């Protein structure tokens, strides 16, 4: 029997019992669909997190006080100035002092985060001003009470009013709005990055927080290739500024955004693989179902096998006949599973706002795995059919 006749005969036998064939393939359908959906959700989440972290700046390095130490926070603006003057791999530096305030402006009030930063902060975060201007060095030196609003704060306080030139009250201090930042969206931790007010760092230290310590120092490296060298250089400069020896315990931590993105991606990939492996168990269960049905089919068609052998069919013809039916059943289940998984991913993205990414490579692997399941679990029934003696098969009732 040629390949085309073999495939035609296999389809005829499969569609002769449509409902049984569909139920037989159900395990493969669920298995392939589950694997693709789980991987798509995992990959979608990873891409979303990477995108959100990248929006903070892939060349970003952050220096923060070390948690858990008994030594108090010693980060000051003098540290950020020293890093700006001495670090050779750094493009921009900004000290950060932030605190939550209830802000009054327009006809409303709003609770938000007020950040004291330096002009370089926008360069570090790849952020632009949508309307108006950002404050300058002279505003820091004079401790001017000027503010730049995130789009969320601007819309909550002033609704449809034009915010530039308006006055807002932060604590007991009145600030003039000089700019509105462009929309940034949701951050990596699910926070609204636009729910923020930025003021000059010196103004925040003296007028709002009455302290000289910083929450952190943000730095932007010239090129991503220099991240490791920059991190080592920052460690040396900070140790010198705080009189800590090379082998002494540091009172600060240096976080590399590129390393954080890589760690998050690796963790997400491990979880995705675990979900795929769990979903893949359905494929094995589906394969066992195919083997069961094919064994039943061999029993039902014993007399047919005897007649074929009697008219000249060889053992390998019978083997290929049943093996091809098993493979086709698996492939049909795989194709239906792929269609089902794509529809589920579309539904999750459109109606539940869950980002998914259907990887064509995963689809190809799923189809190949379905075919392998068909071969593996279909071989034993096919071999059993091929091993029947013609006379015994013809006598079978």
């Amino acid at each position: 029997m040629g390949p085309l006749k073999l495939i035609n005969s296999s389809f005829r036998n499969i569609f002769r019992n449509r409902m049984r064939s569909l139920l037989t393939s159900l395990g493969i359908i669920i298995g392939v669909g589950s694997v693709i959906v789980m991987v798509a959700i995992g990959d979608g989440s990873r891409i979303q997190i990477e995108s959100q972290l990248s929006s903070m700046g892939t060349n970003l390095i952050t220096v923060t006080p070390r948690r858990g130490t008994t030594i108090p926070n010693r980060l000051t603006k003098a540290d950020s100035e020293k890093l700006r003057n001495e670090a050779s791999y750094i493009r921009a530096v900004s000290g950060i002092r932030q605190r939550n305030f209830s802000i009054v402006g327009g006809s409303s009030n709003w609770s938000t985060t007020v950040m004291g930063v330096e002009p370089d902060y926008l360069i570090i975060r790849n952020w632009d001003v949508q309307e108006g201007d950002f404050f300058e060095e002279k505003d820091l030196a004079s401790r001017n009470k000027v503010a730049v609003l995130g789009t969320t704060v601007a819309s909550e306080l002033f609704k449809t009013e034009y915010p530039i030139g308006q006055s807002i009250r932060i604590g007991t201090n009145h600030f003039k709005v000089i700019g509105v930042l462009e929309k940034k969206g949701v951050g990596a931790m699910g926070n609204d990055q636009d729910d923020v007010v930025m003021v000059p760092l010196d103004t925040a230290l003296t007028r709002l927080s009455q302290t000289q310590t910083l929450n952190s120092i943000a730095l932007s490296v010239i090129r991503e290739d220099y991240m490791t060298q920059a991190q080592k250089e920052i460690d040396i400069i900070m140790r010198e500024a705080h009189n800590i020896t090379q082998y002494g315990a540091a009172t600060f931590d240096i976080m590399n955004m590129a390393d954080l993105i890589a760690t998050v991606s690796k963790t997400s990939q491990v979880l995705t693989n675990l979900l795929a492996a769990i979903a893949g168990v359905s494929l094995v269960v589906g394969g066992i179902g195919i083997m069961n049905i094919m064994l039943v089919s061999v029993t039902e068609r014993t007399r047919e096998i005897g007649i074929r052998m009697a008219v000249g069919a060889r053992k390998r013809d019978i083997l290929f006949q049943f093996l091809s039916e098993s493979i086709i059943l698996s492939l049909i289940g795989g194709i239906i599973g792929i269609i089902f998984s794509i529809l589920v991913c579309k539904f999750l993205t459109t109606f539940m706002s869950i980002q998914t990414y259907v990887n064509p490579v995963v689809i190809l692997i799923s189809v190949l795995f379905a075919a392998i399941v068909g071969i593996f679990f279909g071989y034993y029934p096919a071999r059993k059919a091929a091993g029947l003696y013609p006379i015994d098969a013809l006598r079978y009732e």
Side-chain angles (χ1 to χ4, degrees), residues 14-69:
I14 288 170
F15 285 103
R16 189 179 297 157
N17 297 290
R18 291 181 181 83
M19 185 55 68
R20 187 170 74 177
S21 298
L22 179 62
L23 293 174
T24 304
S25 301
L26 195 59
I28 302 296
I29 294 170
I30 294 172
V32 169
S34 299
V35 169
I36 294 173
V37 170
M38 290 298 182
V39 173
I41 292 173
D43 285 346
S45 299
R46 176 179 55 79
I47 291 168
Q48 187 174 25
I49 292 170
E50 286 179 2
S51 175
Q52 289 169 347
L53 288 173
S54 296
S55 71
M56 298 175 66
T58 53
N59 295 2
L60 175 66
I61 291 180
T62 306
V63 180
T64 56
R66 176 160 290 180
R67 294 182 180 181
T69 60

Side-chain angles (χ1 to χ4, degrees), residues 27 41 43 67 140-141 177 179 185-186 202 215 220 242 245 249 256 306 321 352 359 380 391:
I41 292 173
D43 285 346
R67 294 182 180 181
L140 272 73
V177 178
V186 179
D202 296 66
N215 295 111
S220 177
H242 290 213
T245 63
N256 181 332
Q321 173 72 47
M352 300 185 69
N359 192 335
Y380 175 71
I391 296 174

Side-chain angles (χ1 to χ4, degrees), residues 59 99 101 113 120 147 178 180 193 219 242 304 317 322 335 349 369 394:
N59 295 2
R99 182 182 161 191
F101 280 94
T113 301
D120 277 357
I178 62 170
V180 176
Q193 297 182 89
L219 308 98
H242 290 213
E304 175 194 327
D317 294 326
F322 281 87
I335 291 167
T349 303
F369 195 75
L394 285 168

Side-chain angles (χ1 to χ4, degrees), residues 40 342-358:
I342 291 172
L343 292 175
V344 169
C345 289
K346 289 282 186 185
F347 175 82
L348 292 174
T349 303
T350 306
F351 297 102
M352 300 185 69
S353 299
I354 297 175
Q355 185 169 338
T356 58
Y357 172 68
V358 180

Side-chain angles (χ1 to χ4, degrees), residues 203-359:
T203 307
L205 292 173
T206 56
R207 298 182 187 275
L208 299 180
S209 300
Q210 291 81 45
T211 182
Q212 293 303 310
T213 58
L214 305 177
N215 295 111
S216 61
I217 299 172
L219 308 98
S220 177
V221 180
I222 297 170
R223 286 211 329 247
E224 197 169 341
D225 303 351
Y226 297 146
M227 292 295 276
T228 304
Q229 297 95 313
Q231 198 163 340
K232 290 178 181 177
E233 187 180 52
I234 291 167
D235 182 70
I236 293 169
I237 294 171
M238 289 297 296
R239 284 178 179 274
E240 182 183 317
H242 290 213
N243 297 314
I244 302 171
T245 63
Q246 181 182 353
Y247 302 104
T251 58
F252 54 86
D253 287 314
I254 302 172
M255 185 183 72
N256 181 332
M257 185 56 69
D259 288 346
L260 178 61
I261 292 173
T263 301
V264 168
S265 297
K266 187 175 180 181
T267 303
S268 179
Q269 191 61 52
V270 170
L271 291 173
T272 301
N273 292 341
L274 180 62
L275 290 171
I278 294 170
V281 173
S282 302
L283 280 171
V284 177
V285 174
I288 293 171
I290 286 176
M291 183 168 67
N292 269 336
I293 293 300
M294 293 307 296
L295 284 170
V296 170
S297 181
V298 169
T299 304
E300 288 178 346
R301 293 160 61 187
T302 300
R303 189 170 180 81
E304 175 194 327
I305 294 167
I307 293 171
R308 288 194 176 194
M309 287 183 169
V311 296
R314 294 163 295 181
K315 286 189 176 183
R316 68 178 185 182
D317 294 326
I318 304 298
L319 177 71
F320 288 151
Q321 173 72 47
F322 281 87
L323 198 56
S324 66
E325 289 179 22
S326 175
I327 294 170
I328 289 170
L329 269 176
S330 294
L331 288 175
I332 289 173
I335 291 167
I336 296 173
I338 290 166
I339 296 169
F340 170 74
S341 65
I342 291 172
L343 292 175
V344 169
C345 289
K346 289 282 186 185
F347 175 82
L348 292 174
T349 303
T350 306
F351 297 102
M352 300 185 69
S353 299
I354 297 175
Q355 185 169 338
T356 58
Y357 172 68
V358 180
N359 192 335

